[in-house]
Amino acid sequence: MRNIKEIPTPPKATDARTTLWGRAEADRLVSRLETDGIVMLPNILSTEQLRGMQQAFEARLKQMRWNNFEGYTKTEPYRHMIEDVLMLDQGFVDLALHPVVKQILNSYLGTQYALTEAKGWKSLATKRDFHGWHGDSWYDQTVATEIHKEVKLALYLTDVHSGAFNFIRGTHQQRHPYDVKRAEAKNLPMSQLLEVKGQAGTVFLFDSSAVHRQGYPMLEPRQAVFYAYHDPSIPLREEDVNYYRYHPLLLNAAFLGNLSEEDRRILGFGNKTNFQPAFARSDRPPLSYLAFCTSYNARIRLLRLRDRALAIFNRARRLV
């Protein structure tokens, strides 16, 4: 039987945003991140913040994004993706720039990092192993002379009792990130396996070079958000450049009041390092998409003809 150590969730805080953190506490969290590659954070979101984030996220999950309808994107069977969550609610921005988060990141990553990605997804209930063991590959390993650091912040928007985030403690910064083959998985140090179950509002940081995975089976749907922090000047791997994955953040002006210079740097204000002018994806949409667009254009034209016919009919009636 696997030795799974479940990480307990810290008790709720009434107003975590105003909690004062001393250097000793911050150093303790940084030390845990350096040693284990993962650290649970105290409850840094208030009840009101979490509720607003949940409601905004849930609203985007009502339908798939299409035309002028906001919603989720879907490129795989078991996840509904929501890109650019910083657009949705003030709480998502506050979390990204929380003093506790910045204090830990400044110690672990230095002062050149930025928030480079902010997205979330709803994982559907399934017994299938669809997201196996891996480290997150993001930089160009063909030119890298070191294992570059990236820290991800994870937030559970729903209670997670099954299909939790699984993490092999101590495997960070050991080698360039890669996808672990099934034959290799049996050699992983399962005595260091952490299964992160928790309530909605659970927040943790982890070094993305470590071996981790989506747990299974997932007996109920799960909603989670993940932020990626790394130095944006580090060359990216080719497939992420081609996909424009790490594009400059999309932000909502309503949420950007009272930012410090450090906050502006973290959000990438004025940083065009990974901006691609006139970007267009090289791959083409499927024939089903083209067929649907053709039928929708026909519908719009038919509606226009109907409106014109009704207008002519109504004018004729007034003349009678």
Side-chain angles (χ1 to χ4, degrees), residues 185 194 299 319:
L194 301 176
R299 179 180 181 273
L319 293 175

Side-chain angles (χ1 to χ4, degrees), residues 169-186:
R169 187 174 57 182
T171 56
H172 60 298
Q173 296 300 304
Q174 300 299 308
R175 58 171 293 176
H176 291 306
Y178 72 110
D179 292 336
V180 179
K181 294 181 173 60
R182 290 185 180 274
E184 298 178 80
K186 62 183 180 181

Side-chain angles (χ1 to χ4, degrees), residues 6-297:
E6 183 177 323
I7 301 180
T9 305
K12 290 285 184 181
T14 54
D15 189 4
R17 185 68 183 179
T18 60
T19 302
L20 296 178
W21 283 86
R23 172 54 58 184
E25 177 63 17
D27 288 346
R28 183 187 69 80
L29 297 176
V30 172
S31 178
R32 176 60 60 86
L33 180 60
E34 290 175 340
T35 301
D36 293 344
I38 187 170
V39 63
M40 301 295 296
L41 298 191
N43 291 97
I44 57 178
L45 292 172
S46 69
T47 302
E48 293 74 19
Q49 284 177 311
L50 180 60
R51 183 183 301 114
M53 297 162 78
Q54 290 170 321
Q55 291 173 346
F57 197 84
E58 187 68 37
R60 287 291 174 93
L61 291 171
K62 290 182 177 179
Q63 68 272 319
M64 192 180 297
R65 189 172 71 186
W66 173 78
N67 202 12
N68 60 347
F69 289 91
E70 295 292 351
Y72 63 85
T73 61
K74 189 175 179 70
T75 58
E76 56 185 83
Y78 303 110
R79 291 196 291 186
H80 294 171
M81 308 292 296
I82 298 181
E83 307 286 346
D84 307 306
V85 298
L86 300 185
M87 298 278 290
L88 302 184
D89 185 82
Q90 181 73 59
F92 290 110
V93 177
D94 292 345
L95 175 62
L97 301 174
H98 195 283
V100 173
V101 174
K102 292 191 294 184
Q103 210 167 356
I104 296 172
L105 294 178
N106 287 342
S107 295
Y108 193 78
L109 295 178
T111 58
Q112 299 303 311
Y113 70 88
L115 176 59
T116 56
E117 186 177 56
K119 65 181 181 181
W121 54 82
K122 176 181 180 179
S123 298
L124 305 182
T126 180
K127 295 181 180 180
R128 188 177 181 85
D129 177 10
F130 70 93
H131 199 191
W133 293 112
H134 65 282
D136 291 344
S137 300
W138 59 274
Y139 58 86
D140 186 353
Q141 297 181 12
T142 65
V143 299
T145 58
E146 61 182 293
I147 303 172
H148 292 295
K149 285 185 176 181
E150 178 186 69
V151 170
K152 285 194 172 180
L153 178 150
L155 162 68
Y156 288 163
L157 290 173
T158 55
D159 294 346
V160 176
H161 304 295
S162 63
F165 181 82
N166 285 191
F167 187 93
I168 306 295
R169 187 174 57 182
T171 56
H172 60 298
Q173 296 300 304
Q174 300 299 308
R175 58 171 293 176
H176 291 306
Y178 72 110
D179 292 336
V180 179
K181 294 181 173 60
R182 290 185 180 274
E184 298 178 80
K186 62 183 180 181
N187 297 321
L188 292 173
M190 289 302 179
S191 62
Q192 299 303 311
L193 175 60
L194 301 176
E195 185 178 24
V196 187
K197 297 180 180 180
Q199 298 177 333
T202 296
V203 181
F204 54 96
L205 296 171
F206 64 96
D207 187 317
S208 68
S209 69
V211 178
H212 58 279
R213 63 165 297 144
Q214 162 78 66
Y216 76 100
M218 185 173 295
L219 304 180
E220 61 277 322
R222 184 195 78 178
Q223 296 177 23
V225 168
F226 288 84
Y227 295 165
Y229 298 87
H230 62 243
D231 184 344
S233 68
I234 296 172
L236 300 170
R237 64 175 183 167
E238 184 178 5
E239 64 186 85
D240 287 334
V241 173
N242 294 339
Y243 190 75
Y244 205 14
R245 176 175 177 177
Y246 297 105
H247 58 74
L249 296 176
L250 299 185
L251 302 168
N252 190 327
F255 306 149
L256 302 179
N258 302 316
L259 296 178
S260 67
E261 284 301 313
E262 181 183 45
D263 295 338
R264 291 163 61 88
R265 173 186 60 78
I266 293 172
L267 294 178
F269 279 36
N271 190 332
K272 297 181 180 180
T273 301
N274 293 313
F275 172 67
Q276 299 185 41
F279 172 78
R281 285 178 55 175
S282 59
D283 54 337
R284 301 296 183 186
L287 290 176
S288 58
Y289 170 82
L290 299 176
F292 183 81
C293 289
T294 300
S295 64
Y296 186 72
N297 286 332

